[in-house]
């Protein structure tokens, strides 16, 4: 019988033979789900099973259909199936390995599907049996580890990663996935790193690996010690010549490529939209097929990448160096053997970074192509994401972006290269098209230190998000980022040649917005906190301007701007005074703002009369800017300011406890999405898997 | 193994090809003396076959003697013990006049020239003194003549041997002066002791007690001779005095690897020999006969000789002998009281006159004996310096002279010789057969591998003559493969370079070994490989084994066939390893340089400066990952390892289509880049610690589980890799920025009250005492701070280098040091270098040399001219590195950035007219201006637009870019006809035409010109040597040298010279073409 089967297996490539074979597999599945030990009658049952092409759908549905009692009955067989799957992973025959991997995938999914509410232990029991679970999982992880690190076929590795992703995302809430406890104990962190450090494998599996890592890091992040967090945080990636150490850089590359790809897609789309009638037409037609979901999906998946980026930036300080690395030639090493046709289509339903880009041995010497680095790409990406925060996903993405930027702004090394006068880049931030302004012409963006781009981005955000549905926390983060950068500049005496005026007017406009929407906003937010931060930014400039302003003129301009917009400050003062004198929820917050306004008011009260009298004396109704500046310059000496405390102090970012909820939610959501898309895709990929099987078959036949 | 000596004309039997196929090495100077005595043979080379057999080639203008192993010589095997000399000669030499002169010749030869190679078995030890010695030798001919006097009719048989002893003696006194510090004991034992067992002890004593030396020497010598004569007939066992001489001299002639004897010369020489022989030898017919039989003889082994001589040397040199004797007398007169040398020292300078008169004569030894002695004296006088040596090397066609000088070079300070490396290399490339000595010299003297690059450049230039080319490349290969091997004594390591292919180790190499060994007071016999008698083996083995063997024998001086053979460890063992390691040694460095150059090439493809700079920075950041490594900047003076390239500081320089760039390089100084351990890499983010700490501390609430153990373990691991990490949570709390703040406070002095306040205010939150500040203060501080920062240039995307170059060097160093993870190390230094691709820097190098030369001349003559030669490192014919001039920006940048006239810029930078600072700057300007005016005139430096003239922070101007000098000018547009560039702006800075400073300027020029004229030869010689075989554009045309010479105006009186200077200055000032050229540059290249 086995002879026949083998023959059939070999003949399987002819499509005609497909059907009976399928049935054979199904038959065998049925045997498993019978009470009896399938191996009883046929000692070679398991051997043969893994020679059969897997019928995922059948297996999964079978698992799902099993109800409580049956489970008990067939548990031994399922345990046995799981065991043999793990065993098969060690087989020489790659077909068996492939089939085992797919079977495992189906097992995990099927069991979870069935037992959505069941506790993790039940699931473990059902799959492996309590007593053997530890050993089984250890074996499984070891096998996977060796498959991932071995020289085996790339499609095998890809399948392994897919299995892991499947396992990780099988529950809605990653932290409820008890099986992952074993993944914690039997770490595959090194295998992931190795994939990331190797050029060719990074090209093919980097995306999966990074997503997997990000998810694993988020497993019970706050409840227990997650070894992946520990390990990720201590990877010392000083990229020595040792290839295995290049993993952080590799991770940076993967993120970089993913973000770049997103940016490119966005730009293409944008250009398409801007194109003439014809292109609009085509895009319309195209949209009919592609549908909007595409765009959203891409944002979602990039959230996973963004999460990975966050974890790397947040956990590993060495990753900061990777941010600034532009790697024109890091991938110079051997281009992988032509990506086999088995290259999985995107695992998550969107285009992963295109392979050719990943493997491009050298940065093209295209003069139009700017040297880029991860940080630049990230800034561009952020500028896109921040444009539209109405969507929940996008809002989360924007939040994540700002959190990452907060981490970056806090980091001394990152600040150092952000402010490095010698590292000038043109960063084309995407600006939301608005009625009252023209779209900035890209070409005119000067080449400046990166921090200018960050500030621009912040200014852009401030200006463009004053809406009813006020994203308060984003604004807070935004202002805090600016504050952190200013603190760095003050401490390091860096005189950045930046047009601070734009920032000032943006901030003043923000205050204005807060004032005019006081009632609506106060219902939901503590606007006084934000106002305090903004006013303190001004205080920074006023009291410490001498340490970081680029020219003495800029200090005059600051005063000019304050005096010019004095009404806003006056109104703000009135408002906070009013709130703080009333007893109420905001009393204290408002009174803080009143104190903070001391210097601004002093300036206004000092210079306004002077300017008025100047106008009166000179009989000028409308003073020019130059004239006002002149008045300002000549009247400094009579103005006394009060030194305020703690202006250059800021609260350091810490994920716990403030952000924990956000990340939990994010991961949960992420998990869901990924589960959805993964199950979707694995199903989709059945045909693909067949393909890879064929390839493997070929490989196999030539070897033996 | 026996050797026979065959003498025959070069053309005769051995083809050139055959010769080339051997490794020709310099043989001994004994052999040379032998040749000398035979009159014609001056040069001894050894052809080294791969096996243990040895061939020696004695050449001179007239032919050569081939010493080759005699396959039939087995019977003589037993003889070695009898005496080294005898053995040597017997085995090696086979004379033409075998019939008659056999015995005599033999005796003479062996006495006179115990071939050192034999005893030592290490040809490298053999020191060839060259012609001079040869000529000198006869003069000593007084001492007691050993029993075996050559009975030849030739006049001087008897005395001859003795003279040598004297000679050696003489050398004893004489030569040490020439030597660089070298432990005397070892140095005296070049010959392998094995060969002269009896003598050993006396010799050793001698080493320590020179006084006894002579007596013992002579006695032993005679003894040896006697015994050899009696016992083995042909094997006198003289103590081989020459050996000692040689060793003391440490003069090795290494004829290098791939020298080829010019066939024509050889042929001619051969004929000469014959002619001479016919004339001088009364046995003409026999001679002829001999000639005819030559070939035959070559293969002929005189077995019957037994105790008799196996070698036969033509007795043709009687008259020469006499001459030699005379010379020797002269020479020897100095031996005792060093009278001679003192005389020559007193003679202020042997003068060019003498030199020139001597030189041509040098080759015709027979007629110029007295002059030669003068030459010798000159050579040995203290005044004989590198410059002279080089010029002789260049001019002399005499192999002997060359050999001598080649060796003599080793006695000069390395730095001096290094200066002439380009010349030496050029010479090697151009004249392979003569270059041999230099071949040896080169690796020896150049401690770094820079010569390799250089050589690459030069040899690539030699494309015309493939022969030369191959010579160059071969040499280069040699150096690369074998140079810079680590030697046992670390301090010597960098110098211990030698050429592997030549059995003759470079003196330096040897020197260092000796030095090392001298500490082991008693050198011992080298253990003989194989089973043969030590001495014998030593003799034969050496050629085949290279450094290893060599060093071994270095370590062993006299043969104590007894114990203690293990002592050579120092010499040999490290070597053995080294041989394998060597190719690896230079690899990091080569890779480093290669990648720098590759970057330069890639940059050139990018269109804008901005992109170039960005690309440069990212490329360098990648390069940074591989540092620290055992790499160094060849332009630096101190030994160091490169530890980091602050990539963001790198900047692309102005150039139209190339992309030269300047990088700053952080280095850690070390004792020796070869042996000192490479510094450990410190991550960029050293201050940062793993954030996991934070996370784990808060997150690890449930840390009780099994993972916690692992966690803490990992943490510990990670922390240990992060230096400066304080594993304390408190430390964590004080974050980076907090630290920064403190640092910043420390730097900014008390002037910064505000920051002080802020610090205070943080701590004293409780005390609600309000602090008031005046807005005016803030504003004032701001403007003051801005004013105090030195004027910096605006950032200009089209000229990114302006800002970088304008920043004061100290400031830059401080800044980079602060940012560097290595900055805290005491031996941290910042260097900078310009990497240039696509330009041939050889001309720059030449200019650098000339500038250096002139600079030292002016220093010597105390003319306060100021110039700044910047170092050049030629990598290949189109790439190289340049030492940047610190704190200097180009006039173009000054003008463009400041929009001021030069004078106003001076005022802005240095203060008003009367300030000290301005006056100093003005003086600096004048002195440098005068210096460069002269240089521009002498070298005809063209392309003098403002981008090529720098102005440093002290007011000096510095000319850069010597791409157009001597005979070449840019596109020959006919611009720049004036002698040098002197614009009215310059004159304004000098205080106008009537100003004192302008007068001073002209005076300086006059003084400078006079001084330069005085030492014209030194300058000329540099250029002249480089001209040979060169295709540099600056040598275009035939009159380059002549033109240069003319510009020194040797014939003018000082008054006339003054007139000339006036004229030049006047002409330059009025020159329309200067202005034209400037505007031309402005129009075409935007250079203001």
């Amino acid at each position: 019988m086995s002879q026949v089967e083998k023959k059939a297996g070999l003949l399987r490539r002819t499509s005609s033979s497909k059907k009976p074979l399928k049935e054979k597999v199904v038959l065998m599945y049925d045997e498993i789900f019978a009470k009896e030990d399938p191996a009883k009658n046929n000692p070679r049952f398991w051997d043969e099973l893994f020679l059969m092409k897997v019928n995922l759908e059948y297996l999964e549905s079978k698992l799902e259909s099993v109800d409580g009692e049956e489970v008990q009955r067939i548990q031994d067989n399922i345990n046995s199936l799981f065991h043999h799957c793990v065993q098969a992973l060690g087989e020489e025959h790659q077909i068996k390995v492939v089939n085992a991997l797919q079977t495992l995938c189906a097992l995990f999914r099927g069991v979870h599907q069935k037992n959505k509410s069941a506790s993790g232990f039940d699931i473990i029991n059902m799959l492996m049996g309590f007593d053997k679970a530890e050993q089984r999982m250890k074996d499984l992880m070891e096998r996977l580890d060796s498959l991932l690190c071995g020289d085996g076929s790339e499609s095998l590795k890809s399948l392994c990663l897919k299995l892991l992703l499947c396992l990780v995302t099988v529950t809605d809430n990653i932290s409820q996935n008890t099986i992952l406890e074993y993944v914690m104990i039997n770490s595959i962190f090194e295998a992931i790193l190795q994939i990331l450090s190797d050029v060719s494998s990074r090209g093919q599996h980097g995306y999966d690996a990074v997503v997997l890592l990000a998810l694993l890091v988020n497993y019970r992040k706050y409840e227990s010690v997650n070894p992946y967090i520990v390990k990720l945080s201590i990877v010392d990636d000083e990229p020595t010549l040792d290839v295995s150490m290049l993993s952080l850089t590799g991770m940076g590359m993967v993120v970089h490529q993913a973000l770049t790809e997103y940016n490119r897609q966005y730009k293409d789309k944008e250009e398409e939209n801007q194109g003439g009638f014809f292109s609009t037409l085509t895009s319309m037609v195209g949209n009919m097929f592609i549908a909007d979901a595409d765009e959203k999906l891409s944002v979602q998946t990039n959230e996973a990448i963004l999460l990975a980026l966050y974890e790397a930036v947040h956990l590993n300080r060495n990753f900061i160096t990777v941010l600034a690395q532009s790697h024109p030639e890091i991938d110079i090493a051997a281009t992988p053997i032509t990506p086999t046709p088995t290259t999985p289509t995107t695992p998550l339903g969107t285009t992963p970074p295109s392979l050719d880009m990943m493997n491009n041995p050298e940065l093209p010497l295209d003069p139009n192509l700017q040297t880029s680095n991860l940080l630049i790409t990230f800034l561009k990406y952020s500028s896109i994401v921040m444009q539209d925060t109405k969507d929940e996903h996008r809002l989360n993405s924007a939040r994540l972006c700002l959190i990452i930027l907060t981490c970056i702004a806090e980091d001394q090394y990152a600040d150092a290269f952000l402010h490095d006068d010698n590292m000038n880049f043109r960063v084309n931030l995407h600006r939301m098209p608005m009625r009252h302004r023209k779209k900035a012409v890209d070409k005119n963006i000067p080449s400046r230190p990166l921090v200018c781009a960050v500030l621009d981005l912040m200014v852009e955000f401030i200006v463009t998000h004053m809406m009813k549905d006020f994203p308060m926390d984003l604004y807070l983060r935004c202002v805090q980022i600016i504050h952190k950068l200013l603190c760095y500049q003050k401490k390091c005496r860096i005189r950045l040649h930046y047009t601070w005026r734009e920032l000032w007017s943006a901030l003043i406009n923000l205050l204005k917005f807060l004032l005019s929407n006081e009632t609506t906003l106060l219902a939901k937010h503590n606007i006084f906190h934000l106002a305090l931060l903004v006013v303190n930014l001004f205080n920074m400039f006023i009291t410490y301007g001498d340490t970081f302003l680029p020219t003495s003129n800029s200090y005059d301009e600051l005063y000019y701007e304050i005096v010019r917009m004095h009404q806003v400050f006056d109104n703000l003062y009135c408002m906070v005074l009013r709130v703080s004198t009333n007893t109420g929820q905001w009393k204290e917050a408002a009174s803080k703002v009143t104190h903070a306004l001391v210097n601004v008011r002093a300036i206004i009260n000092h210079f306004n009369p002077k300017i008025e009298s100047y106008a009166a004396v000179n009989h000028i109704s409308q003073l020019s800017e130059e004239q006002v500046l002149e008045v300002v310059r000549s009247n400094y000496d009579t103005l006394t300011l009060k030194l305020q405390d703690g202006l250059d102090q800021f609260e350091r970012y810490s994920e716990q406890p403030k952000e924990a909820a956000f990340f939990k939610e994010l991961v949960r959501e992420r998990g869901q999405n990924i589960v959805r898309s993964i199950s979707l895709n694995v199903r989709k990929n059945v045909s693909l898997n067949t393909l890879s099987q064929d390839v493997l078959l070929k490989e196999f036949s030539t070897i033996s | 193994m026996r050797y026979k000596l065959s003498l025959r004309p070069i053309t005769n039997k051995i083809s050139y090809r055959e010769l080339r196929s051997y490794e020709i090495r310099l043989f001994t100077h004994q052999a040379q003396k032998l040749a000398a005595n035979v009159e014609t043979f001056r040069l001894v080379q050894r052809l080294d076959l791969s096996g243990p057999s040895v061939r020696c080639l004695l050449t001179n203008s007239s032919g050569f003697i081939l010493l080759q192993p005699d396959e039939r010589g087995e019977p003589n095997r037993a003889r070695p013990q009898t005496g080294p000399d005898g053995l040597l000669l017997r085995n090696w030499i086979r004379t033409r006049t075998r019939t008659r002169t056999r015995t005599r010749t033999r005796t003479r030869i062996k006495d006179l020239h115990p071939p050192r190679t034999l005893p030592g078995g290490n040809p490298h030890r053999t020191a060839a003194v060259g012609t001079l010695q040869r000529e000198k030798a006869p003069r000593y001919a007084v001492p007691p003549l050993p029993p075996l006097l050559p009975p030849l009719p030739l006049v001087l048989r008897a005395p001859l041997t003795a003279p040598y002893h004297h000679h050696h003696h003489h050398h004893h006194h004489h030569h040490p002066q020439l030597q660089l510090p070298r432990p005397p004991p070892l140095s005296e034992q070049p010959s392998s002791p094995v060969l002269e067992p009896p003598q050993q002890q006396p010799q050793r004593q001698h080493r320590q007690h020179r006084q006894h030396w002579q007596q013992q020497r002579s006695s032993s010598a005679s003894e040896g001779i006697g015994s050899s004569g009696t016992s083995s007939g042909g094997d006198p066992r003289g103590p081989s005095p020459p050996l000692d001489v040689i060793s003391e001299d440490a003069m090795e002639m290494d004829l290098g690897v791939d020298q080829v004897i010019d066939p024509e010369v050889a042929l001619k020489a051969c004929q000469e020999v014959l002619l001479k022989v016919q004339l001088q030898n009364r046995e003409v017919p026999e001679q002829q006969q001999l000639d005819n039989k030559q070939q035959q003889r070559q293969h002929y082994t005189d077995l019957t000789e037994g105790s008799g001589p196996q070698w036969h040397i033509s007795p043709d040199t009687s008259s020469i002998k006499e001459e030699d004797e005379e010379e020797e007398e002269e020479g020897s007169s100095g031996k005792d009281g060093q009278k001679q040398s003192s005389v020559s020292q007193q003679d202020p300078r042997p003068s060019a006159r003498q030199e020139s008169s001597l030189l041509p004569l040098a080759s015709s030894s027979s007629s110029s004996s007295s002059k030669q002695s003068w030459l010798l004296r000159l050579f040995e006088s203290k005044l004989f310096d590198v410059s002279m040596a080089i010029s002789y090397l260049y001019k002399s066609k005499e192999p002997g002279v060359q050999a001598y000088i080649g060796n003599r070079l080793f006695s000069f300070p390395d730095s001096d010789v290094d200066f002439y490396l380009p010349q030496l290399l050029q010479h090697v490339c151009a004249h392979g057969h003569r270059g041999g000595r230099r071949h040896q010299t080169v690796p020896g003297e150049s401690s770094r591998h820079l010569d390799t690059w250089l050589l690459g450049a030069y040899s690539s230039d030699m494309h015309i003559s493939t022969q030369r080319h191959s010579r160059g490349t071969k040499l280069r290969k040699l150096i690369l493969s074998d140079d810079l091997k680590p030697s046992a004594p670390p301090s010597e390591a960098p110098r211990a370079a030698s050429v592997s292919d030549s059995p003759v180790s470079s003196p330096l190499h040897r020197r260092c070994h000796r030095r090392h060994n001298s500490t082991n007071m008693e050198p011992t016999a080298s253990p003989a490989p194989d089973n043969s008698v030590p001495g014998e083996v030593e003799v034969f083995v050496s050629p085949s084994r290279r450094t290893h063997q060599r060093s071994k024998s270095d370590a062993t001086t006299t043969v104590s066939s007894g114990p203690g053979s293990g002592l050579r460890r120092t010499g040999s063992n490290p070597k053995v390893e080294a041989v394998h390691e060597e190719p690896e040694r230079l690899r990091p460095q080569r890779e480093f340089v290669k990648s720098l150059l590759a970057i330069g090439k890639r940059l050139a493809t990018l269109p804008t400066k901005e992109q170039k700079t960005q690309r440069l920075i990212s490329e360098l950041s990648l390069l940074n990952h591989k540092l620290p490594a055992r790499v160094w900047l060849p332009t630096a003076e101190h030994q160091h390892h490169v530890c980091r390239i602050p990539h963001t500081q790198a900047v692309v320089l102005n150039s139209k289509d190339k992309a030269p760039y300047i990088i700053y390089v952080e280095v850690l100084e070390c004792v020796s880049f070869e042996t000192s351990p490479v510094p450990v890499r410190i991550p960029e983010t050293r201050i940062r610690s793993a954030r996991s700490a934070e996370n784990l501390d808060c997150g690890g609430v449930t840390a009780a589980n099994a993972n916690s153990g692992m966690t803490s373990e990992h943490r510990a691991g990670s922390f240990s890799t992060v230096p400066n990490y304080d594993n304390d949570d408190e430390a964590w709390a004080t974050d980076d920025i907090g630290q920064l703040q403190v640092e910043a406070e420390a730097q900014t002095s008390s002037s910064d009250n505000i920051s002080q306040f802020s610090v205070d205010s943080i701590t004293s939150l409780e005390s609600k005492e309000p602090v008031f500040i005046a807005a005016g203060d803030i504003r004032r501080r701001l403007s003051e701070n801005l004013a105090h920062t030195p004027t910096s240039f605006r950032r200009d995307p089209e000229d990114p280098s302006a800002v970088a170059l304008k920043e004061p060097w100290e400031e830059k160093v401080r800044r980079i040091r602060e940012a560097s993870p290595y900055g805290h190390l005491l031996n941290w230094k910042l260097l900078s270098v310009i990497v240039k691709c696509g330009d041939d820097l050889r001309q720059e190098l030449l200019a650098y040399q000339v500038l250096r030369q002139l600079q030292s001349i002016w220093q010597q003559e105390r003319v306060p001219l100021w110039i700044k030669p910047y170092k050049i490192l030629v990598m290949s014919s189109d790439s190289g590195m340049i030492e940047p001039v610190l704190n200097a920006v180009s006039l173009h940048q000054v003008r463009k950035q400041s929009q001021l006239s030069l004078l106003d810029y001076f005022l802005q930078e240095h203060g008003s007219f009367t300030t000290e600072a301005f006056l100093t700057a003005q003086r600096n300007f004048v002195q440098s201006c005068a210096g460069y005016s002269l240089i521009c005139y002498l070298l005809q430096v063209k392309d003098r637009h403002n981008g090529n003239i720098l102005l440093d922070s002290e007011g000096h101007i510095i000319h850069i870019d010597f791409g157009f000098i001597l005979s070449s000018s840019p596109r020959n547009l006919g611009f720049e006809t004036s002698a040098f560039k002197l614009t009215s702006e310059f004159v304004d800075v000098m205080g106008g035409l009537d100003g004192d400073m302008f007068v001073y300027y002209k005076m300086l020029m006059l003084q400078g010109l006079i001084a330069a004229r005085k030492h014209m030869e030194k300058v000329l010689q540099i250029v002249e040597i480089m001209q040979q075989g060169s295709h540099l554009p600056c040598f275009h045309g035939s009159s380059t040298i002549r033109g240069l010479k003319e510009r020194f105006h040797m014939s003018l009186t000082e008054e006339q010279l003054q007139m000339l200077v006036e004229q030049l200055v006047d002409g330059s000032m009025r020159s329309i073409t200067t202005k034209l050229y400037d505007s031309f540059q402005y129009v075409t290249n935007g250079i203001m």
Side-chain angles (χ1 to χ4, degrees), chain B residues 182 187-190 243-250 510 514:
Chain B
R182 178 154 40 95
S187 63
E188 290 180 21
Q189 316 165 353
L243 291 179
D244 291 308
V245 174
I246 290 150
S247 64
E248 265 200 331
D249 294 347
R510 186 164 40 135
R514 287 223 183 106

Side-chain angles (χ1 to χ4, degrees), chain A residues 561-599:
Chain A
E561 203 66 22
I562 290 173
V563 172
R564 186 172 70 94
M565 302 297 285
H566 67 93
Q567 216 133 27
V568 175
F569 291 103
D570 289 342
N571 292 343
L572 179 66
Y573 183 73
C574 290
M575 193 261 277
V576 291
L577 198 64
R578 170 171 44 89
V579 175
S580 64
T581 47
N582 297 338
T583 50
Q585 184 187 2
W586 309 115
K587 183 176 162 52
E588 203 167 323
S591 73
K592 272 188 194 161
V593 182
T594 27
H595 291 301
L597 276 171
V598 162
N599 282 338

Side-chain angles (χ1 to χ4, degrees), chain A residues 114-180:
Chain A
K114 163 74 190 143
N115 305 280
K116 274 221 159 122
S117 53
S119 76
F121 297 105
D122 289 341
I123 289 172
I124 290 171
N125 195 26
M126 181 174 173
L127 278 177
M128 302 162 258
F130 274 128
D131 45 343
K132 294 174 201 134
E134 199 156 324
Q135 187 56 42
R136 294 277 180 276
M137 281 307 289
K138 185 163 179 271
D139 289 346
L140 172 63
M141 297 313 288
E142 275 169 5
R143 295 258 153 84
L144 288 178
D145 188 273
S146 59
L147 281 174
L148 285 174
C149 298
D151 302 325
S153 122
E154 294 297 326
S155 39
L156 261 188
K157 292 186 182 181
S158 157
L159 262 181
C160 286
L161 281 173
K162 218 164 280 162
L163 170 64
L164 283 165
L165 275 175
C166 174
L167 174 61
V168 168
T169 59
V170 80
T171 53
D172 290 352
N173 182 347
I174 188 172
S175 297
Q176 286 169 3
N177 190 344
T178 325
I179 301 179
L180 289 190

